[in-house]
PDB file of all heavy atoms in Angstrom:
ATOM      1  N   SER O  58      81.426 218.492 177.408  1.00 65.00           N
ATOM      2  CA  SER O  58      81.747 217.097 176.850  1.00 65.00           C
ATOM      3  C   SER O  58      81.961 217.123 175.299  1.00 65.00           C
ATOM      4  O   SER O  58      82.731 216.469 174.848  1.00 65.00           O
ATOM      5  CB  SER O  58      80.796 216.039 177.251  1.00 65.00           C
ATOM      6  OG  SER O  58      79.648 216.043 176.469  1.00 65.00           O
ATOM      7  N   GLY O  59      81.094 217.982 174.603  1.00 75.00           N
ATOM      8  CA  GLY O  59      81.094 217.882 173.072  1.00 75.00           C
ATOM      9  C   GLY O  59      80.474 216.753 172.584  1.00 75.00           C
ATOM     10  O   GLY O  59      80.350 216.680 171.344  1.00 75.00           O
ATOM     11  N   HIS O  60      79.872 215.798 173.351  1.00 80.00           N
ATOM     12  CA  HIS O  60      79.298 214.613 172.861  1.00 80.00           C
ATOM     13  C   HIS O  60      78.070 214.939 171.940  1.00 80.00           C
ATOM     14  O   HIS O  60      77.848 214.336 170.936  1.00 80.00           O
ATOM     15  CB  HIS O  60      78.858 213.638 173.944  1.00 80.00           C
ATOM     16  CG  HIS O  60      78.606 212.257 173.544  1.00 80.00           C
ATOM     17  ND1 HIS O  60      77.174 211.987 173.252  1.00 80.00           N
ATOM     18  CD2 HIS O  60      79.337 211.155 173.373  1.00 80.00           C
ATOM     19  CE1 HIS O  60      77.182 210.637 172.929  1.00 80.00           C
ATOM     20  NE2 HIS O  60      78.539 210.262 172.994  1.00 80.00           N
ATOM     21  N   GLY O  61      77.264 215.872 172.391  1.00 84.00           N
ATOM     22  CA  GLY O  61      76.012 216.277 171.620  1.00 84.00           C
ATOM     23  C   GLY O  61      76.437 216.816 170.322  1.00 84.00           C
ATOM     24  O   GLY O  61      75.619 216.619 169.222  1.00 84.00           O
ATOM     25  N   GLN O  62      77.536 217.659 170.241  1.00 86.00           N
ATOM     26  CA  GLN O  62      77.996 218.120 168.947  1.00 86.00           C
ATOM     27  C   GLN O  62      78.444 216.924 168.108  1.00 86.00           C
ATOM     28  O   GLN O  62      78.073 217.079 166.817  1.00 86.00           O
ATOM     29  CB  GLN O  62      79.109 219.078 169.264  1.00 86.00           C
ATOM     30  CG  GLN O  62      79.588 219.883 168.032  1.00 86.00           C
ATOM     31  CD  GLN O  62      78.593 221.135 167.911  1.00 86.00           C
ATOM     32  OE1 GLN O  62      78.005 221.546 168.823  1.00 86.00           O
ATOM     33  NE2 GLN O  62      78.399 221.564 166.612  1.00 86.00           N
ATOM     34  N   TRP O  63      79.126 215.984 168.585  1.00 88.00           N
ATOM     35  CA  TRP O  63      79.474 214.830 167.742  1.00 88.00           C
ATOM     36  C   TRP O  63      78.273 214.101 167.223  1.00 88.00           C
ATOM     37  O   TRP O  63      78.305 213.754 166.033  1.00 88.00           O
ATOM     38  CB  TRP O  63      80.354 213.989 168.479  1.00 88.00           C
ATOM     39  CG  TRP O  63      81.688 214.666 169.170  1.00 88.00           C
ATOM     40  CD1 TRP O  63      82.360 215.659 168.535  1.00 88.00           C
ATOM     41  CD2 TRP O  63      82.268 214.366 170.227  1.00 88.00           C
ATOM     42  NE1 TRP O  63      83.459 215.874 169.309  1.00 88.00           N
ATOM     43  CE2 TRP O  63      83.411 215.165 170.455  1.00 88.00           C
ATOM     44  CE3 TRP O  63      82.053 213.296 171.313  1.00 88.00           C
ATOM     45  CZ2 TRP O  63      84.300 215.085 171.460  1.00 88.00           C
ATOM     46  CZ3 TRP O  63      82.969 213.318 172.308  1.00 88.00           C
ATOM     47  CH2 TRP O  63      83.977 214.142 172.544  1.00 88.00           C
ATOM     48  N   CYS O  64      77.291 213.881 168.114  1.00 90.00           N
ATOM     49  CA  CYS O  64      76.169 213.102 167.676  1.00 90.00           C
ATOM     50  C   CYS O  64      75.423 213.933 166.516  1.00 90.00           C
ATOM     51  O   CYS O  64      75.026 213.325 165.479  1.00 90.00           O
ATOM     52  CB  CYS O  64      75.197 212.966 168.776  1.00 90.00           C
ATOM     53  SG  CYS O  64      75.787 211.653 169.941  1.00 90.00           S
ATOM     54  N   ALA O  65      75.275 215.315 166.695  1.00 93.00           N
ATOM     55  CA  ALA O  65      74.514 216.132 165.698  1.00 93.00           C
ATOM     56  C   ALA O  65      75.350 216.076 164.359  1.00 93.00           C
ATOM     57  O   ALA O  65      74.771 216.041 163.327  1.00 93.00           O
ATOM     58  CB  ALA O  65      74.526 217.543 166.240  1.00 93.00           C
ATOM     59  N   GLY O  66      76.696 215.993 164.506  1.00 93.00           N
ATOM     60  CA  GLY O  66      77.502 215.938 163.192  1.00 93.00           C
ATOM     61  C   GLY O  66      77.217 214.575 162.506  1.00 93.00           C
ATOM     62  O   GLY O  66      77.205 214.522 161.228  1.00 93.00           O
ATOM     63  N   ILE O  67      77.206 213.555 163.344  1.00 94.00           N
ATOM     64  CA  ILE O  67      76.976 212.146 162.532  1.00 94.00           C
ATOM     65  C   ILE O  67      75.636 212.255 161.859  1.00 94.00           C
ATOM     66  O   ILE O  67      75.508 211.720 160.833  1.00 94.00           O
ATOM     67  CB  ILE O  67      77.128 211.079 163.679  1.00 94.00           C
ATOM     68  CG1 ILE O  67      78.603 210.886 164.020  1.00 94.00           C
ATOM     69  CG2 ILE O  67      76.496 209.778 163.087  1.00 94.00           C
ATOM     70  CD1 ILE O  67      78.705 210.017 165.412  1.00 94.00           C
ATOM     71  N   ILE O  68      74.566 212.897 162.511  1.00 96.00           N
ATOM     72  CA  ILE O  68      73.358 212.986 162.016  1.00 96.00           C
ATOM     73  C   ILE O  68      73.287 213.876 160.819  1.00 96.00           C
ATOM     74  O   ILE O  68      72.680 213.549 159.669  1.00 96.00           O
ATOM     75  CB  ILE O  68      72.309 213.415 162.978  1.00 96.00           C
ATOM     76  CG1 ILE O  68      72.271 212.303 164.201  1.00 96.00           C
ATOM     77  CG2 ILE O  68      71.025 213.648 162.445  1.00 96.00           C
ATOM     78  CD1 ILE O  68      71.503 212.821 165.423  1.00 96.00           C
ATOM     79  N   ALA O  69      73.843 215.045 160.966  1.00 96.00           N
ATOM     80  CA  ALA O  69      73.448 216.151 159.989  1.00 96.00           C
ATOM     81  C   ALA O  69      74.600 217.079 159.385  1.00 96.00           C
ATOM     82  O   ALA O  69      74.275 218.046 158.837  1.00 96.00           O
ATOM     83  CB  ALA O  69      72.432 217.029 160.800  1.00 96.00           C
ATOM     84  N   ALA O  70      75.834 216.620 159.625  1.00 94.00           N
ATOM     85  CA  ALA O  70      76.897 217.450 159.114  1.00 94.00           C
ATOM     86  C   ALA O  70      76.713 217.553 157.525  1.00 94.00           C
ATOM     87  O   ALA O  70      76.376 216.529 156.777  1.00 94.00           O
ATOM     88  CB  ALA O  70      78.333 216.796 159.374  1.00 94.00           C
ATOM     89  N   SER O  71      77.041 218.686 157.084  1.00 93.00           N
ATOM     90  CA  SER O  71      76.885 219.050 155.656  1.00 93.00           C
ATOM     91  C   SER O  71      78.000 218.192 154.791  1.00 93.00           C
ATOM     92  O   SER O  71      78.993 217.874 155.282  1.00 93.00           O
ATOM     93  CB  SER O  71      77.183 220.562 155.372  1.00 93.00           C
ATOM     94  OG  SER O  71      76.170 221.249 156.032  1.00 93.00           O
ATOM     95  N   HIS O  72      77.575 217.999 153.524  1.00 91.00           N
ATOM     96  CA  HIS O  72      78.458 217.403 152.674  1.00 91.00           C
ATOM     97  C   HIS O  72      79.275 218.532 151.906  1.00 91.00           C
ATOM     98  O   HIS O  72      79.022 218.791 150.855  1.00 91.00           O
ATOM     99  CB  HIS O  72      77.792 216.474 151.646  1.00 91.00           C
ATOM    100  CG  HIS O  72      77.144 215.266 152.346  1.00 91.00           C
ATOM    101  ND1 HIS O  72      76.502 214.328 151.621  1.00 91.00           N
ATOM    102  CD2 HIS O  72      76.999 214.997 153.621  1.00 91.00           C
ATOM    103  CE1 HIS O  72      76.097 213.380 152.375  1.00 91.00           C
ATOM    104  NE2 HIS O  72      76.321 213.718 153.646  1.00 91.00           N
ATOM    105  N   ASN O  73      80.215 219.067 152.672  1.00 86.00           N
ATOM    106  CA  ASN O  73      80.817 220.317 152.141  1.00 86.00           C
ATOM    107  C   ASN O  73      82.457 220.128 152.053  1.00 86.00           C
ATOM    108  O   ASN O  73      83.087 221.096 151.854  1.00 86.00           O
ATOM    109  CB  ASN O  73      80.698 221.427 153.138  1.00 86.00           C
ATOM    110  CG  ASN O  73      80.992 221.247 154.603  1.00 86.00           C
ATOM    111  OD1 ASN O  73      81.720 220.227 154.726  1.00 86.00           O
ATOM    112  ND2 ASN O  73      80.708 221.971 155.474  1.00 86.00           N
ATOM    113  N   ASP O  74      82.881 218.913 151.931  1.00 82.00           N
ATOM    114  CA  ASP O  74      84.353 218.667 151.779  1.00 82.00           C
ATOM    115  C   ASP O  74      85.153 219.296 152.850  1.00 82.00           C
ATOM    116  O   ASP O  74      86.376 219.355 152.548  1.00 82.00           O
ATOM    117  CB  ASP O  74      84.692 218.995 150.357  1.00 82.00           C
ATOM    118  CG  ASP O  74      84.048 218.206 149.282  1.00 82.00           C
ATOM    119  OD1 ASP O  74      83.791 217.150 149.518  1.00 82.00           O
ATOM    120  OD2 ASP O  74      83.807 218.822 148.282  1.00 82.00           O
ATOM    121  N   LYS O  75      84.688 219.653 154.032  1.00 79.00           N
ATOM    122  CA  LYS O  75      85.418 220.188 155.056  1.00 79.00           C
ATOM    123  C   LYS O  75      85.838 219.210 156.208  1.00 79.00           C
ATOM    124  O   LYS O  75      86.578 219.545 157.111  1.00 79.00           O
ATOM    125  CB  LYS O  75      84.692 221.504 155.676  1.00 79.00           C
ATOM    126  CG  LYS O  75      84.601 222.596 154.794  1.00 79.00           C
ATOM    127  CD  LYS O  75      83.961 223.825 155.409  1.00 79.00           C
ATOM    128  CE  LYS O  75      83.970 224.946 154.389  1.00 79.00           C
ATOM    129  NZ  LYS O  75      83.328 226.187 154.898  1.00 79.00           N
ATOM    130  N   GLY O  76      85.094 218.127 156.343  1.00 77.00           N
ATOM    131  CA  GLY O  76      85.319 217.196 157.405  1.00 77.00           C
ATOM    132  C   GLY O  76      84.357 216.066 157.160  1.00 77.00           C
ATOM    133  O   GLY O  76      84.351 215.479 156.021  1.00 77.00           O
ATOM    134  N   GLY O  77      83.693 215.565 158.226  1.00 84.00           N
ATOM    135  CA  GLY O  77      82.883 214.614 158.098  1.00 84.00           C
ATOM    136  C   GLY O  77      81.528 214.879 157.454  1.00 84.00           C
ATOM    137  O   GLY O  77      81.311 216.033 157.109  1.00 84.00           O
ATOM    138  N   ALA O  78      80.828 213.799 157.007  1.00 92.00           N
ATOM    139  CA  ALA O  78      79.479 214.093 156.368  1.00 92.00           C
ATOM    140  C   ALA O  78      78.421 213.313 157.137  1.00 92.00           C
ATOM    141  O   ALA O  78      78.605 212.192 157.413  1.00 92.00           O
ATOM    142  CB  ALA O  78      79.633 213.469 154.881  1.00 92.00           C
TER     143      ALA O  78
END
Side-chain angles (χ1 to χ4, degrees):
S58 78
H60 194 271
Q62 193 76 28
W63 302 327
C64 289
I67 291 167
I68 295 165
S71 300
H72 294 187
N73 57 12
D74 296 327
K75 292 184 180 181

